[in-house]
Amino acid sequence: MTSPILSGIHHVKIPVSDLTRSVQWYGQVFGFAVTTEFPEADGTVLGVAGTVPGLGETQLTLRVNRDAAQGCVGFDPVSFAVDDLADVQAWATHLDTLGVAHSPVIEATVGWLLVFDDPNGISLHLYSWAGHGADHSDRPGYGRAVTTA
């Protein structure tokens, strides 16, 4: 039996501890624009969804969940794609302008990578589609091709 085919990613949901702070930060860093809010029974808004330039139809959702946000500290739930090394470098400059600490540009498994944290300490990655051509498969933590028999 063949599996049905997916048609993409509908949304990426990131847990946050402070919705106002996170909406502002994701807006400054990524151009996040809120299009939908999710009020609780008492009217308190604990989640929002919206658009980010470059993500097409895929929305970004931020949801207050302090335990999940704390549990994700240092974890990288999503890698946002950029085209090439020049784009990774442009993002590094953008983050510098905003005062957002980040890694140096990393020659990752197949492309270039920039790593930084959101206000909750959740690690976000910007990873290039373009490859660098180097083989790092012998380095701990780097990917290697899986061959099937």
Side-chain angles (χ1 to χ4, degrees):
M1 177 175 180
T2 50
S3 298
I5 306 256
L6 298 174
S7 62
I9 295 176
H10 186 273
H11 67 276
V12 173
K13 185 185 294 184
I14 297 177
V16 302
S17 59
D18 181 324
L19 187 60
T20 301
R21 176 182 68 171
S22 293
V23 166
Q24 179 183 17
W25 188 88
Y26 279 88
Q28 287 179 326
V29 172
F30 292 110
F32 174 63
V34 174
T35 58
T36 307
E37 59 183 25
F38 303 99
E40 300 298 306
D42 67 358
T44 305
V45 175
L46 295 179
V48 295
T51 59
V52 173
L55 291 186
E57 296 296 315
T58 301
Q59 292 210 332
L60 178 65
T61 302
L62 304 174
R63 178 73 179 166
V64 175
N65 186 323
R66 289 172 184 81
D67 292 339
Q70 181 61 38
C72 287
V73 169
F75 184 70
D76 54 312
V78 63
S79 290
F80 295 107
V82 297
D83 286 335
D84 54 27
L85 175 59
D87 289 325
V88 173
Q89 292 168 330
W91 274 97
T93 300
H94 173 64
L95 295 174
D96 288 342
T97 300
L98 296 174
V100 176
H102 59 83
S103 71
V105 174
I106 299 165
E107 194 174 272
T109 299
V110 293
W112 290 276
L113 171 67
L114 193 66
V115 179
F116 55 101
D117 292 345
D118 82 350
N120 290 285
I122 296 171
S123 188
L124 300 173
H125 289 189
L126 295 170
Y127 205 113
S128 72
W129 287 116
H132 46 61
D135 180 4
H136 295 305
S137 61
D138 60 338
R139 294 177 66 184
Y142 282 69
R144 64 180 176 209
V146 176
T147 57
T148 56

